[in-house]
Amino acid sequence: MRFRHPDGSTVHLAYCTNVHPAETLDGVLAQLRDHCEPVRRRLGRDRLGIGLWLARDAARSLTTDPASLRALRAELDRRGLEVVTLNGFPYEGFGADEVKYRVYQPDWTHPDRLAHTTDLARLLAALLPEDVTEGSVSTLPLAWRTPFDAEAATTARTALATLAGRLDALEELTGRSIRIGLEPEPGCIVETVADAVAALTAAPNPSPAPGTSPEPSSAPDPSSASSAAPNPRIGVCLDTCHLATSFEDPRTALDSLAAAGIAVPKAQLSAALHAEHPHLPEVRAALAAFAEPRFLHQTRTRTAAGLRGTDDLPEALATSDHHVTTAHGLPDATPWRAHFHVPLHTPPAPPLSSTLPVLQDALALLVGGPHPRTHHLEVETYTWQALPPESRPRTRARLADGIAAELTLARDLLTDLGLKELP
């Protein structure tokens, strides 16, 4: 879906296909037929943007066989679909019964991550619509926080610099500009936007990496150490679920990126799980229904001593008594937020809620001003089948209905901000 911003530029809205994980190219083609085109038809549009997720095997098939790449491009056109952004965070196995920590491998210290992201950028340059010259790829925020030391930081930074050089060469060759967005996520080396600023403006000799405690650690203060200008090819993918889970203020986050000269190649529109009164038994019971075995649901609370957190929701719930925290529990005197992408249009039933207001605030700052801070927006609710059983869509048709409803909500938010939907 395309929108005209009041400044005349085009803002793209897509939904991410990692909700229908497929490891092979045949699986990707089946996604287009069975899911993406039905969503487009429900919206009554001739054209629908999708944020394509290409697992390692699918990407390799496309990079080694130009005929397959041409066939994918033709299939997108035939089904009224277009791609301006790729989700490069998961490498493979995103549809496994248990993903958890495996989603962070390989990280940016491994050559496979650089090779895969390079392939994605080259593929995206070939998949962009004829009238679009800029694409974006989101990627993991360097690595999970452990193990990660100064040597690892240097290796990751070198890999990103190599990637930036390859993207420069790609634009010179194709005329297509591809930018990468590190996606801050709780528990990672780059957990917050402040961490992203520190990482992307780090001088050649980096400070030691954050501590390895499971408690979220404060990012290094870029003003207290030498810094460098950020590379224009490498920016931030702002995920509004992650932003909310870490209790970040959207205005503060975006102001800090602007002050550091860091671009936002794309933003992911998503909402986290919010519990206002986690000490209540009925709230804890409701939260427990979201503690499922596939994905990691990092949980955070903001206390007088700072941000506290656990790596997963079951650990947060391991609190023995009111306001008493076990070794694996989480203080429950203040609200909790969990990294669980809940459907945008259907908040969880009381006593829980979602962080949709954070999304709305961030979106207004991103595209509601005189010029867009990003031109690529992606709805990313990949946890439909991880919802409590009574909330899961039981058929493809129900899932398509839900995704279309999310996109309709996003469309309404954009038009309320003064953007005009294009045919």
Side-chain angles (χ1 to χ4, degrees), residues 240-241 243-244 248-251 269-274 276 337 342-345 347-348 352-365 409 413 417:
T240 57
C241 170
L243 188 80
E248 292 194 83
D249 172 65
R251 182 175 295 279
L269 307 183
S270 53
L273 189 63
H274 180 91
E276 186 68 18
R337 288 178 179 172
V342 296
L344 303 185
H345 67 294
L352 303 179
S353 62
S354 83
T355 60
L356 182 62
V358 177
L359 183 160
Q360 292 172 302
D361 290 346
L363 188 61
L365 294 167
L409 182 148
L413 292 176
L417 291 170

Side-chain angles (χ1 to χ4, degrees), residues 314-391:
E315 298 171 29
L317 291 167
T319 304
S320 56
D321 298 306
H322 179 42
H323 302 336
V324 177
T325 306
T326 69
H328 299 290
L330 194 63
D332 58 10
T334 50
W336 288 4
R337 288 178 179 172
H339 172 218
F340 195 119
H341 291 223
V342 296
L344 303 185
H345 67 294
T346 306
L352 303 179
S353 62
S354 83
T355 60
L356 182 62
V358 177
L359 183 160
Q360 292 172 302
D361 290 346
L363 188 61
L365 294 167
L366 285 166
V367 301
H371 303 287
R373 293 287 307 275
T374 186
H375 290 87
H376 294 172
L377 303 172
E378 178 183 78
V379 170
E380 199 214 13
T381 305
Y382 59 84
T383 44
W384 281 94
Q385 300 303 337
L387 291 167
E390 65 275 10
S391 301

Side-chain angles (χ1 to χ4, degrees), residues 274-277 280 282-284 286 348-353:
H274 180 91
E276 186 68 18
H277 302 292
L280 296 176
E282 61 269 27
V283 175
R284 302 178 78 82
L352 303 179
S353 62

Side-chain angles (χ1 to χ4, degrees), residues 88 94 130 137 182 185 200 219 248 361 411:
F94 201 60
E130 294 296 336
V137 180
L182 301 183
E185 175 163 312
L200 294 176
E248 292 194 83
D361 290 346
R411 176 178 62 190

Side-chain angles (χ1 to χ4, degrees), residues 143-299:
W144 186 251
R145 67 176 182 273
T146 57
F148 199 84
D149 55 17
E151 181 179 358
T154 298
T155 301
R157 188 175 60 253
T158 300
L160 288 174
T162 299
L163 176 65
R166 292 175 180 178
L167 297 178
D168 288 341
L170 182 65
E171 182 174 11
E172 185 174 349
L173 179 67
T174 66
R176 304 293 179 88
S177 174
I178 308 299
R179 293 190 296 172
I180 306 299
L182 301 183
E183 184 182 330
E185 175 163 312
C188 293
I189 286 297
V190 175
E191 169 158 343
T192 65
V193 168
D195 294 337
V197 170
L200 294 176
T201 59
N205 292 317
S207 301
T212 59
S213 165
E215 302 294 343
S217 58
S218 299
D221 180 1
S223 65
S224 66
S226 56
S227 61
N231 190 300
R233 293 286 182 190
I234 313 296
V236 166
C237 170
L238 194 72
D239 184 301
T240 57
C241 170
H242 304 173
L243 188 80
T245 300
S246 294
F247 288 87
E248 292 194 83
D249 172 65
R251 182 175 295 279
T252 301
L254 285 166
D255 284 351
S256 68
L257 291 174
I262 297 172
V264 184
K266 70 185 285 186
Q268 289 175 324
L269 307 183
S270 53
L273 189 63
H274 180 91
E276 186 68 18
H277 302 292
H279 66 281
L280 296 176
E282 61 269 27
V283 175
R284 302 178 78 82
L287 284 169
F290 286 84
E292 52 82 37
R294 178 178 291 182
F295 300 112
L296 206 59
H297 301 297
Q298 302 93 316
T299 306

Side-chain angles (χ1 to χ4, degrees), residues 26 32 36 50 75 81-83 103 122 133 166 231 270 273 278 300:
D26 286 343
L32 306 185
C36 302
I50 57 171
E75 189 72 357
L81 306 169
E82 66 178 14
V83 176
V103 75
R122 291 169 177 163
T133 59
R166 292 175 180 178
N231 190 300
S270 53
L273 189 63
R300 301 289 185 260

